[in-house]
Amino acid sequence: MTPHAVIAGAGVAGLTSAVALHQNGWRVSVFDRAPVLEPLGAGLGLTPNALRALDVLGLGDAVRERGAVQETGGIRRPDGRWLARSDLAFIRARFGDPVVGLHRRDIITMLAEALPAGSLRTGVTVTSATRDGVVHTSEGELGADLVVAADGIGSRLRTALFPAHPGPVYAGYTSWRMVVPVPDYLVEATETWGRGTRFGLMHLPDGLLHLSANSVAPPRERERDERQAVLRRFGHWHAPIPELLAAVQPGQVLHHDVAELATPLPAFHSGRIVLVGDAAHAMTPNIGPACLAMEDAVTLGLLLPADRVSDLDSALAEYTALRLPRAVALARRSRRVGLAGQWTWPPAVAARNLGIRFGGLLPASVTARALDGSVDWWPPSRSPAAPSARG
């Protein structure tokens, strides 16, 4: 009989896992508590490791064709002065692919369309699951040979598996994300770093820009008009930031506190349950957590083809052995980048800026050396012996 996998959550991690397992012979059922699959969110920067993961699923070329290649990068001060600039062509030359920007709705749609009809159910919540594969949902109970916990940073399944784990903690800063049309003049993709504040620009397809704004702030602090909150913090920064923020439509600002699993889990599996994405290793958004989630999903599919279900324990132990150390290392690296952006004391900020300008203290988005160990990942069944750059 075809083994059955139940996936809790239809975000990037859950849908990528479902596609990977389906393509490796599994019958999949994906449940998401949202009433409809509305791919909310803004932009995703997909680095070469994510594109290699998508290649395994046969979706890489479609993403490359659809995505907006990020040509430049750099760091500026709020007054517009450049601290560092970079031509990002080195990423393609070094790692075989560029960084491409894509709206989250595009990747969600591609993944959902790669699943068999009827395998994705919205409006259904996975409330709990047992280690032997009994899944409880808001519609009843069912059995599974594998349960994939892709239910995000607040994962119920993770909490039940590891009740002694402290869970997610606030990283000290909050984040706003927006999408606006590209104006009729050149806009370079950059990050601007201030005192405990950062603002990023990334190109998306269809003449759109992804805007991200981070600021040190108390947790759970919300305002009735989040657009005004962003304007108050960043509306006086260098052009074109004020003009771009003025183009944001009211009600179209996503605001989330940045949280992470600062304490690593002891494992990414227990019994028939396996954790992927933020449920396994929620991290600060400085080194591509969505890309890491795609790695998880593809690795799971490659390690656990349907004909290996009788060897489930061994396969999931191998998954943990491959994924947990990498996730812990990248989460620490991402945390360090975020901490430098959180500095508010003027002398420390001045020293940081001097380090960026003269001492090579650059974030991972603009240096080849810092990208080694993150975007140079290859799927476990593939060899990086002869990567070929794509045109």
Side-chain angles (χ1 to χ4, degrees), residues 152-179:
I153 189 169
S155 172
R156 295 183 179 184
L157 300 186
R158 180 192 65 235
T159 300
L161 284 182
F162 304 106
H165 189 270
V169 296
Y170 184 48
Y173 56 105
T174 196
S175 174
W176 296 266
R177 290 167 294 152
M178 303 142 279
V179 173

Side-chain angles (χ1 to χ4, degrees), residues 47-240:
T47 45
N49 51 317
L51 295 174
R52 292 188 202 106
L54 292 167
D55 281 336
V56 175
L57 308 182
L59 298 174
D61 285 341
V63 169
R64 291 182 183 92
E65 183 177 350
R66 174 70 176 146
V69 174
Q70 306 304 300
E71 305 284 359
T72 60
I75 307 294
R76 303 175 78 173
R77 301 191 323 187
D79 62 7
R81 183 175 180 179
W82 287 93
L83 298 173
R85 304 180 78 169
S86 180
D87 180 347
L88 297 185
F90 77 86
I91 296 178
R92 189 198 300 266
R94 188 177 183 92
F95 302 107
D97 265 306
V99 177
V100 299
L102 201 65
H103 200 292
R104 185 176 183 273
R105 65 170 175 249
D106 289 334
I107 193 66
I108 290 290
T109 299
M110 288 182 185
L111 292 166
E113 289 178 348
L115 291 173
S119 60
L120 172 60
R121 296 278 311 282
T122 56
V124 181
T125 301
V126 174
T127 56
S128 64
T130 65
R131 288 174 172 82
D132 59 358
V134 178
V135 180
H136 301 276
T137 78
S138 54
E139 290 191 343
E141 179 182 297
L142 71 159
D145 298 286
L146 178 70
V147 181
V148 180
D151 49 346
I153 189 169
S155 172
R156 295 183 179 184
L157 300 186
R158 180 192 65 235
T159 300
L161 284 182
F162 304 106
H165 189 270
V169 296
Y170 184 48
Y173 56 105
T174 196
S175 174
W176 296 266
R177 290 167 294 152
M178 303 142 279
V179 173
V180 298
V182 177
D184 57 0
Y185 49 84
L186 177 66
V187 175
E188 292 191 70
T190 63
E191 287 189 11
T192 301
W193 287 27
R195 293 175 52 191
T197 47
R198 287 180 288 162
F199 196 97
L201 307 175
M202 181 177 67
H203 286 274
L204 302 176
D206 303 324
L208 298 174
L209 278 173
H210 166 83
L211 313 181
S212 62
N214 297 325
S215 178
V216 171
R220 298 179 296 278
E221 186 175 79
R222 295 295 182 268
E223 300 190 24
R224 179 172 298 179
D225 187 341
E226 294 290 357
R227 176 174 173 271
Q228 286 300 318
V230 180
L231 278 167
R232 187 171 63 252
R233 286 175 169 86
F234 302 95
H236 59 286
W237 283 22
H238 67 78

